Amino acid sequence: MGRLGLTEILVIVGIVILLFGGKKIPELMKGLGSGIKEFKNAAKDDQPAPSKKEEEEK
């Protein structure tokens, strides 16, 4: 299995359009975008809090 070329990507996009229809795809992309946004926010919140020593230096 190599990299996906332009032809393979177009075939995959065509199949997705046939399966979900043109009206449903924007809703799917909106849901995907909000999921990625929530993931990024959760990743930011997961970072360790600064120690007291670092806060006192500021």
Side-chain angles (χ1 to χ4, degrees), residues 37-54:
K37 184 178 179 181
E38 289 178 20
F39 178 77
K40 286 182 179 180
N41 288 338
K44 283 183 185 177
D45 293 341
D46 197 30
Q47 293 177 352
S51 65
K52 288 183 180 180
K53 195 175 205 181
E54 291 176 3

Side-chain angles (χ1 to χ4, degrees), residues 13-55:
V13 169
I15 292 171
V16 168
I17 290 173
L18 287 174
L19 288 175
F20 296 108
K23 294 181 180 179
K24 191 73 172 176
I25 292 176
E27 294 174 20
L28 292 172
M29 293 298 112
K30 184 178 178 183
L32 180 65
S34 65
I36 291 172
K37 184 178 179 181
E38 289 178 20
F39 178 77
K40 286 182 179 180
N41 288 338
K44 283 183 185 177
D45 293 341
D46 197 30
Q47 293 177 352
S51 65
K52 288 183 180 180
K53 195 175 205 181
E54 291 176 3
E55 289 178 2

